[in-house]
Amino acid sequence: MKRLASLLLALVVVAAPVQAKERRPNFLVIVADDLGYSDLGAFGGEIRTPNLDRLALAGIRLAGFHTAPTCSPTRSMLMSGTDNHLAGLGTMAELIRPNQKGQPGYEGYLRRDVATLAERLSDGGYRTLFSGKWHLGLTPEQDPHARGFQRSFALLQGGHNHFGTDVGTTATYTEQGKALTKLPAGFYSSDYFASRLIAFLGERPGKRASQPFFAYLAFTAPHWPLQAHADDIARYKGRYDAGFEVLRQQRLARQRELGILSADAAPHTPRNRDGSWDSLTAEQQRTAARNMEIYAAMVDRLDQNVGRVVEALRASGELDNTVIIFLADNGAEALDAETTGAEMLGRYLKDADNSFANRGTASSYVTYGAGWAQAATAPSWLTKGYQSEGGTRTVAFISGAGIPRRASAERQFLSVADIAPTLVELGGGNVRATEVGGRAVRPVTGRSWASWLRDPAARVYGAEDGVGGELFGSRAWRQGDWKLTDIGDGVWRLFNLASDPGETRDLSLAEPARRDAFAAAWDRYARDVGVVAPDAIPYRP
């Protein structure tokens, strides 16, 4: 009997690692486009987001998660696990300045000398699936299908008409790398992106039935143009009539209740170029409130579609073995189509019907402006496009298989570049591999969260670890709780984010030695990654 017991124990010990290897986790990464930091209920918002809230509260809310200030640079970091300048998106392809053209790191697409997360996981035996916004290259060799995704449905550009009326004109859609000439009747971006991913998830013939998957769902909502289904818009009728300043205070109070924001933390004063809510005419207020209703409807619909994907995973039996990471790609968008965005969006506006009754339809083209955006980024400073916290600290969480539930939000600094090494390590791969798919690639520079997920006291970045950033001439150097920031006006400002997350107190004069040391560190970072400062600022909302 003793020998039998010993044999059984030995079999368990031997079988355990084999079973663990066979049951590697699935990964689902969901990206929302221009979603505000406090838009979700779990982060202080009033918009109906029960599916995302449920996932966030069952896992870890990442209150210190950071991205690049705009979409394609962030997506290059997500896919490559390294700095956007090294990945080829030193700036957005649409906004490359003349002095940046032809410079290394400013190709405007994801370079071949970086491996994508899909390529790394595919090499490790994962099924790789993509649906949504790509924005990392327009040519066939830059398509997601050519960069490691075995199944893909992609919008190649950075934005589109959410009802699909621009296919073949200003928007290019591909499936398996082949351009489509039409979209199905009833197309709406969030609905269709989710539907295609669900279909890909259901394709499990032969040996694929036992393969783990990496699925990447990249919504274009709630990026402009603000367009939504009428019944979703109707759900928010009158909800925002009190204005963006009231909404901002409501969300700040809710963040304090949820532990996202310390009770004594000072929020940054908004920059409202178009004036306070009370300074607007009754008609301007009515129109602004409608714009926010449409925006909320887009977020609502996004959440509904996340729920559809989750239910599909539950029905297939895969949900309990799936790690889910959700994030926004940058801070909320403050661009106003009729003022600060008129030059950039003029070609779309000239044919749009933006009458009050038509707003939110396929033939309208509206944004929601700085007032609502700064309600969404509160307590932070500014919005999308800036290296301030308002541009780079975004809503994010990790949940699902093996992820512990932590009641309090995690405030330590984390980067979008960390996602690739984290998933590669959790999937049993070699994070440090510099050869993928038979070609030499740059090393990953982001940090894996695997140790921190096991031990909440662990730090992903130590007090002496510095992280630099630059976009559109706006610069930042982050080290420990301290951050040096230039919003593009050439002035360095120094903040202690532990005591001042809103970046309200510039300590550059009180801490000149730290300021100068950080400025020198940023200069070294800029040389290392090849920053080419633009000869003119191409984008300022």
Side-chain angles (χ1 to χ4, degrees):
M1 289 297 292
K2 288 182 178 179
R3 288 182 63 189
L4 179 60
S6 298
L7 179 59
L8 290 173
L9 178 61
L11 288 172
V12 170
V13 171
V14 170
V18 175
Q19 183 181 24
K21 184 176 181 181
E22 290 176 349
R23 285 292 290 170
R24 289 181 296 168
N26 304 312
F27 302 122
L28 170 61
V29 174
I30 305 171
V31 178
D33 201 349
D34 289 357
L35 186 72
Y37 182 75
S38 63
D39 283 340
L40 303 188
F43 281 75
E46 73 299 323
I47 301 173
R48 190 182 71 159
T49 55
N51 297 295
L52 288 165
D53 294 344
R54 191 176 302 113
L55 290 170
L57 295 173
I60 309 171
R61 289 169 295 162
L62 309 178
F65 182 83
H66 288 73
T67 65
T70 64
C71 40
S72 55
T74 288
R75 290 159 205 271
S76 73
M77 294 169 72
L78 169 65
M79 281 290 99
S80 69
T82 193
D83 188 275
N84 57 293
H85 298 83
L86 298 176
L89 276 297
T91 191
M92 296 175 66
E94 302 88 344
L95 298 174
I96 297 175
R97 293 294 305 165
N99 70 309
Q100 296 170 330
K101 288 183 178 178
Q103 297 294 327
Y106 290 83
E107 290 83 1
Y109 57 85
L110 199 62
R111 293 168 54 128
R112 290 291 299 175
D113 62 355
V114 297
T116 69
L117 176 54
E119 289 168 333
R120 290 183 182 274
L121 290 174
S122 180
D123 264 15
Y126 273 74
R127 285 197 308 143
T128 52
L129 318 170
F130 174 78
S131 183
K133 170 177 168 176
W134 181 238
H135 207 191
L136 293 175
L138 299 173
T139 66
E141 62 271 18
Q142 297 158 8
D143 189 271
H145 190 57
R147 295 309 309 267
F149 286 99
Q150 298 151 11
R151 296 289 278 150
S152 68
F153 174 82
L155 166 71
L156 298 186
Q157 288 84 0
H160 63 158
N161 186 295
H162 291 278
F163 289 100
T165 62
D166 53 356
V167 62
T169 55
T170 59
T172 306
Y173 300 86
T174 66
E175 183 148 359
Q176 304 303 96
K178 297 180 180 179
L180 304 179
T181 57
K182 63 180 181 178
L183 295 171
F187 176 93
Y188 181 71
S189 64
S190 295
D191 298 342
Y192 198 71
F193 293 155
S195 292
R196 292 310 295 139
L197 187 70
I198 290 169
F200 295 156
L201 287 166
E203 298 171 351
R204 311 230 23 181
K207 70 173 185 177
R208 289 185 179 182
S210 61
Q211 277 185 292
F213 65 77
F214 162 51
Y216 176 19
L217 176 57
F219 290 106
T220 45
H223 190 292
W224 44 257
L226 303 186
Q227 297 168 332
H229 292 284
D231 55 342
D232 290 326
I233 298 172
R235 187 174 296 117
Y236 294 92
K237 184 177 181 180
R239 177 62 185 82
Y240 300 103
D241 289 354
F244 41 72
E245 290 154 349
V246 169
L247 179 65
R248 187 171 187 271
Q249 292 306 315
Q250 290 172 342
R251 290 192 176 184
L252 284 168
R254 181 65 176 146
Q255 285 179 337
R256 293 187 173 100
E257 292 175 8
L258 292 169
I260 298 290
L261 181 65
S262 300
D264 58 351
H268 205 285
T269 303
R271 176 195 289 182
N272 288 329
R273 290 177 174 148
D274 298 326
S276 66
W277 183 258
D278 288 343
S279 72
L280 302 180
T281 66
E283 181 58 29
Q284 288 172 328
Q285 289 180 350
R286 183 173 81 122
T287 300
R290 173 54 58 87
N291 293 344
M292 184 61 197
E293 291 168 7
I294 301 165
Y295 177 90
M298 295 178 76
V299 176
D300 188 319
R301 193 73 169 205
L302 183 155
D303 180 82
Q304 293 175 47
N305 280 290
V306 169
R308 291 176 59 219
V309 174
V310 168
E311 284 308 307
L313 291 175
R314 192 188 313 278
S316 70
E318 294 285 5
L319 182 61
D320 289 343
N321 192 43
T322 301
V323 175
I324 301 173
I325 295 180
F326 176 87
L327 66 140
D329 60 349
N330 45 248
E333 171 67 270
L335 201 68
D336 187 309
E338 298 172 344
T339 56
T340 56
E343 182 178 351
M344 180 181 293
L345 304 180
R347 62 177 173 152
Y348 304 110
L349 296 173
K350 63 182 178 67
D351 297 322
D353 176 3
N354 288 341
S355 60
F356 186 85
N358 197 60
R359 284 179 179 250
T361 69
S363 58
S364 67
Y365 208 99
V366 298
T367 61
Y368 75 166
W372 300 115
Q374 287 173 106
T377 59
S380 299
W381 184 28
L382 297 174
T383 51
K384 176 182 175 180
Y386 298 96
Q387 286 285 353
S388 62
E389 292 294 279
T392 62
R393 188 176 73 138
T394 72
V395 56
F397 62 77
I398 182 168
S399 186
I403 305 302
R405 179 185 178 278
R406 295 180 186 164
S408 59
E410 175 58 55
R411 296 185 188 177
Q412 71 166 299
F413 173 85
L414 300 170
S415 168
V416 66
D418 302 338
I419 291 175
T422 298
L423 299 191
V424 170
E425 182 170 355
L426 292 178
N430 180 7
V431 175
R432 291 173 292 280
T434 54
E435 183 176 316
V436 176
R439 73 180 194 277
V441 295
R442 290 178 178 271
V444 165
T445 58
R447 304 285 183 87
S448 172
W449 301 341
S451 296
W452 163 68
L453 291 172
R454 291 189 296 267
D455 176 9
R459 306 298 295 179
V460 176
Y461 290 85
E464 301 305 314
D465 293 329
V467 179
E470 183 276 339
L471 190 66
F472 307 145
S474 182
R475 306 174 289 168
W477 179 259
R478 173 72 183 258
Q479 189 169 319
D481 292 329
W482 292 84
K483 181 181 177 185
L484 189 70
T485 308
D486 165 16
I487 61 170
D489 57 5
V491 177
W492 282 123
R493 298 168 178 86
L494 181 67
F495 303 101
N496 184 327
L497 297 180
S499 59
D500 183 26
E503 294 176 308
T504 64
R505 299 185 298 276
D506 179 7
L507 302 177
S508 58
L509 296 181
E511 296 266 358
R514 192 187 303 271
R515 176 199 63 206
D516 294 345
F518 278 24
W522 187 88
D523 287 341
R524 290 191 295 272
Y525 154 79
R527 289 193 298 270
D528 289 345
V529 302
V531 170
V532 179
D535 55 12
I537 304 301
Y539 171 87
R540 277 294 176 264

